Amino acid sequence: MTSRIPGFYKLSPEQRLDKILANLELSEEDKTMVRGQNGFTIQDADRMIENVVGYLPVPIGIAVNFKVDGEDVFVPMATEEPSVVAAASNAAKMTYHTGGFTTSYTGSIMRGQVQITNLKAPYEALARIYEHKEEIIQLCNEQDPTLVSFGGGAKDLDVQMIQGDDEKMVVMHLLIDTKDAMGANAVNTMAEAVSPLIETITGGKVVLRILSNLADRRIVRARATFEDPFQGDEAAIANFMRATELANLDPYRAATHNKGIMNGISAVVLATGNDTRAVEAGAHAYASISGRYKSLTQWELGENNSIIGMIEVPLAVGLIGGATQAHPVAKWSTKILQVKTAERLARIIASVGLAQNFAGIKALASEGIQRGHMKLHARNMAAMAGASSGQIDKIVELATKKGTFRFDDIKAIVQSLN
Ligand code: MEV
């Protein structure tokens, strides 16, 4: 199967879905599912959260041209922001012939924190926890035999001393391999279960027992070479490199740079029913791990005017548990991605983040983002100004010719047609 479908963006939603499904040999039901006919119902919603009265549909677009670790993949992205899916697809196209994205994964270890207070001798408590390591790990693993049977479970622990305002606190980190789950439930259950034992061992009082979203033992690195993106324009290449330099030096720029990365990452995280807030918190905390908030990507010059990018990001995503299975459209997304493991999903997501970052900086370093962005946004404005769906393309064409994407101008065009 190939993720390259030239002219994909020009097709209707129906034709696009046909192309994707034909490439993946999926069923007719897979088609109706994502289009809402057999998809998410009010009963599904009512099972997921409290006080349900309805739900918010978000568009899902498919990013094409992605090759990750030698395998082509269609990437479902759920986002309300125009340009994101197009930008990811365009960036991926520029890496396709240089091999696409190559990734590595540190494994699926999550940290569960247990905060111990009221300690008379905190260093002694710290030492005692290490002495009881095997017993603590065993008690953790008794909580989740299924995870253990898949090779996961608590593997190790790590104890830190934190100076509070009026006492030293000991914080035990349980290091738990959550395999194909995001892991919050498994980690929190274990952290709560071992707390009485920790109080007995240390003589202290446990307060917090919760996973850390700074998933620094669940890191994906992805790299890609973008082939001659500026057609040899050396000034544009230099601008690109200058823009990336600023993201490493200035937190104001780094925040926006990383937001662009998260445009891609969060869209796939959401499409697969994973926890966008967990991934975002982890990414931003990791970006500040050196003590200063920095870029999650690095960029270097390659041969023949190519640009090489690398992203390093924690990705706590799963394929089992939570909305990943409870939400029929999230399940559909994992089918389209053809992912069998959370690891493969994380590798794809990091690649999308890198592509998104490349596309953002490429636009900023050349014509700026507003032209492309406003052209897409003009479609929304035309609809808001009362255009029928059959008129929208014509209105955008006229607005482009006039060189204006202001709402009052678009409204005038709509009125002139009606
Ligand atoms: C907009 O959603 C994202 C960008 O601002 C990212 C960036 O500045 O790199 C274009």
Side-chain angles (χ1 to χ4, degrees):
M1 97 93 176
T2 172
S3 66
R4 299 268 297 118
I5 308 184
F8 188 63
Y9 70 99
K10 292 187 199 144
L11 305 176
S12 69
E14 181 89 30
Q15 290 168 326
R16 289 186 197 121
L17 199 51
D18 281 341
K19 287 255 182 225
I20 300 289
L21 298 188
N23 255 282
L24 297 178
E25 289 169 15
L26 296 177
S27 68
E28 202 50 33
E29 194 202 333
D30 290 319
K31 189 166 163 182
T32 48
M33 171 67 68
V34 74
R35 295 175 68 82
Q37 286 122 344
N38 295 325
F40 195 65
T41 63
I42 195 73
Q43 288 78 19
D44 291 321
D46 202 28
R47 265 195 307 274
M48 283 173 70
I49 66 161
E50 312 74 38
N51 299 1
V52 164
V53 293
Y55 46 81
L56 169 77
V58 175
I60 293 190
I62 302 281
V64 290
N65 305 325
F66 273 85
K67 188 196 282 293
V68 178
D69 296 320
E71 273 179 51
D72 281 30
V73 57
F74 292 120
V75 185
M77 301 177 78
T79 178
E80 87 301 341
E81 184 167 333
S83 304
V84 166
V85 181
S89 304
N90 283 335
K93 189 157 86 184
M94 286 178 204
T95 69
Y96 194 83
H97 296 294
T98 57
F101 299 84
T102 306
T103 70
S104 63
Y105 185 62
T106 59
S108 41
I109 301 278
M110 296 295 287
R111 290 176 185 268
Q113 291 190 295
V114 178
Q115 176 194 22
I116 309 135
T117 63
N118 289 348
L119 292 163
K120 290 201 179 67
Y123 284 102
E124 185 195 22
L126 177 147
R128 281 180 189 275
I129 293 174
Y130 279 116
E131 288 158 29
H132 288 80
K133 179 171 130 175
E134 297 312 325
E135 189 185 346
I136 296 167
I137 288 179
Q138 192 187 332
L139 182 58
C140 284
N141 285 336
E142 282 166 14
Q143 312 307 312
D144 200 336
T146 312
L147 181 60
V148 173
S149 74
F150 284 110
K155 299 291 176 190
D156 202 353
L157 56 80
D158 162 20
V159 193
Q160 302 187 358
M161 187 67 69
I162 306 276
Q163 180 62 58
D165 284 344
D166 44 34
E167 63 163 353
K168 279 196 168 65
M169 293 176 271
V170 169
V171 181
M172 179 181 74
H173 287 200
L174 295 168
L175 299 175
I176 300 163
D177 190 344
T178 63
K179 294 283 173 201
D180 282 327
M182 180 273 187
N185 277 333
V187 171
N188 296 341
T189 303
M190 290 183 189
E192 288 188 8
V194 294
S195 291
L197 173 63
I198 297 300
E199 288 186 343
T200 309
I201 292 169
T202 61
K205 174 92 192 73
V206 167
V207 183
L208 291 179
R209 299 148 294 163
I210 185 80
L211 102 163
S212 168
N213 287 119
L214 175 47
D216 64 347
R217 302 286 298 267
R218 208 170 186 175
I219 302 291
V220 187
R221 292 182 179 82
R223 67 176 168 87
T225 300
F226 295 82
E227 220 180 353
D228 194 12
F230 296 103
Q231 284 97 45
D233 179 344
E234 285 175 13
I237 296 174
N239 281 349
F240 184 100
M241 297 309 290
R242 266 192 213 109
T244 63
E245 193 183 358
L246 187 60
N248 265 330
L249 299 172
D250 171 20
Y252 288 93
R253 173 56 205 154
T256 321
H257 177 102
N258 289 342
K259 189 274 181 183
I261 294 171
M262 300 315 287
N263 276 345
I265 289 183
S266 296
V268 190
V269 172
L270 183 61
T272 54
N274 275 287
D275 184 339
T276 50
R277 288 84 55 219
V279 170
E280 281 161 12
H284 295 296
Y286 194 68
S288 346
I289 208 151
S290 67
R292 205 182 64 220
Y293 185 85
K294 287 186 181 174
S295 163
L296 290 164
T297 54
Q298 298 300 327
W299 294 93
E300 294 163 331
L301 293 176
E303 284 179 0
N304 303 324
N305 298 317
S306 65
I307 297 180
I308 304 168
M310 198 275 286
I311 186 169
E312 185 177 313
V313 64
L315 280 168
V317 290
L319 284 184
I320 50 177
T324 55
Q325 288 197 323
H327 198 304
V329 181
K331 270 173 84 176
W332 179 90
S333 293
T334 58
K335 255 189 177 177
I336 298 296
L337 285 158
Q338 307 226 293
V339 286
K340 302 277 179 292
T341 61
E343 171 175 343
R344 170 81 181 154
L345 175 61
R347 289 172 187 263
I348 294 170
I349 293 175
S351 304
V352 176
L354 184 62
Q356 206 73 55
N357 185 223
F358 173 81
I361 306 168
K362 178 173 179 282
L364 291 168
S366 45
E367 63 169 18
I369 59 161
Q370 279 314 87
R371 224 171 78 110
H373 199 73
M374 289 313 285
K375 208 165 162 177
L376 279 164
H377 186 50
R379 301 179 67 79
N380 285 334
M381 288 194 280
M384 270 157 39
S388 65
S389 50
Q391 290 178 319
I392 287 179
D393 283 340
K394 179 85 195 150
I395 289 159
V396 174
E397 192 190 313
L398 290 172
T400 310
K401 259 194 201 137
K402 270 185 95 179
T404 171
F405 294 116
R406 277 185 18 207
F407 183 67
D408 47 350
D409 291 327
I410 288 191
K411 201 167 168 187
I413 296 174
V414 174
Q415 279 161 356
S416 73
L417 290 181
N418 291 328

